[in-house]
Each structure stands twice: as C-alpha cells, then as structure tokens.
Amino acid sequence: EKDDVNDLEDSYGQEWTRYQRQYLEWTGYTAFFVAIVVQQIAGLIIRKTRRNSIFQQGLFSSKVIWVGIASQITIALILSHGFGSVTALNFTVLRAQYWFVAVPYAILIWVYDEMRKLFIRLYPG
C-alpha cells in the first residue's frame, strides 16, 4: 500500500485517507494486544489449580493473583492510552467495547478447562 495515496476506496465505496487507514491499523494493533491481555488473565485464573475447580479452590484466596490481574490491566491501560508509547508501539486509544471482544473466548477456554478438571477428578489416572 502506498503512503502517497490519500483517497483509497474500499469495496463498499468508502474513501479512506492515509491517516484514517493508519489509525485503523493502529487500532488493530492495540485491540490485538488487549485481547492477549484478556487471554492472559483467563489463563492466570485457569492455572490457579490443576485439579480442583475454581469454585472449590476459591478465586479470592490469593492476593498475588489479584495483584497480577491488576498489574496486567494497568499496563494495558497505560500502553493503550499513549503516554509516549503511541509512536513506539503504534498503539492508539481503544473504545471501551474493544476491551471485551476477547471475553467470550476467555469464557470458552475457562469452561473447557473446568470440564477437563471435572473429568480428572471423576476419572483419576
């Protein structure tokens, strides 16, 4: 894609300026990063225990997990709201709904892992 093209037309007939295309690309980078953070949080909760359900073990029993979750969210907020990283990482400010795009997949892998743990408990070995 050429940088000097300022009126690129998409398949819907909409024209996009170079700045609009670049902003859309940066939004994609940022949304991808936030999706990884959401999956990391889900993975942290899933890996709290290997056999017991999170309902048996309890999610609120470990303050270290909450520090980890809070630090991940804080870092993601700092990076996605600029503070000098816009030019270095090509991130941009996301709309609030983009933070929740990866949540259904996080729930899916959490449910899958709870089922896996159930089968481990029911059929040990």
Side-chain angles (χ1 to χ4, degrees), residues 73-116:
I73 292 172
T74 301
I75 290 169
L77 283 169
I78 289 170
L79 290 177
S80 68
H81 279 81
F83 305 116
S85 67
V86 173
T87 55
L89 298 173
N90 294 336
F91 283 174
T92 186
V93 179
L94 284 182
R95 289 192 232 163
Q97 68 256 29
Y98 292 147
W99 281 79
F100 300 102
V101 170
V103 170
Y105 181 69
I107 292 170
L108 179 70
I109 62 171
W110 176 69
V111 168
Y112 166 78
D113 198 65
E114 286 293 318
M115 296 299 295
R116 183 189 66 80

Side-chain angles (χ1 to χ4, degrees), residues 2-86:
K2 298 190 178 219
D3 288 337
D4 59 347
V5 176
N6 202 27
D7 57 349
L8 187 68
E9 188 173 310
D10 66 8
S11 60
Y12 295 108
Q14 299 171 322
E15 287 189 0
W16 295 79
T17 65
R18 180 183 178 279
Y19 174 76
Q20 288 172 325
R21 294 190 316 268
Q22 189 174 42
Y23 183 78
L24 188 63
E25 180 182 6
W26 289 3
T27 301
Y29 294 157
T30 312
F32 182 72
F33 172 74
V34 167
I36 290 173
V37 168
V38 168
Q39 296 309 312
Q40 289 284 17
I41 291 170
L44 178 69
I45 293 170
I46 287 169
R47 285 170 188 82
K48 186 173 186 294
T49 176
R50 290 185 67 177
R51 296 177 58 101
N52 292 337
S53 170
I54 199 68
F55 300 112
Q56 293 172 330
Q57 186 76 17
L59 182 61
F60 299 103
S61 61
S62 176
K63 292 178 183 160
V64 175
I65 286 183
W66 289 109
V67 169
I69 291 171
S71 64
Q72 283 186 336
I73 292 172
T74 301
I75 290 169
L77 283 169
I78 289 170
L79 290 177
S80 68
H81 279 81
F83 305 116
S85 67
V86 173

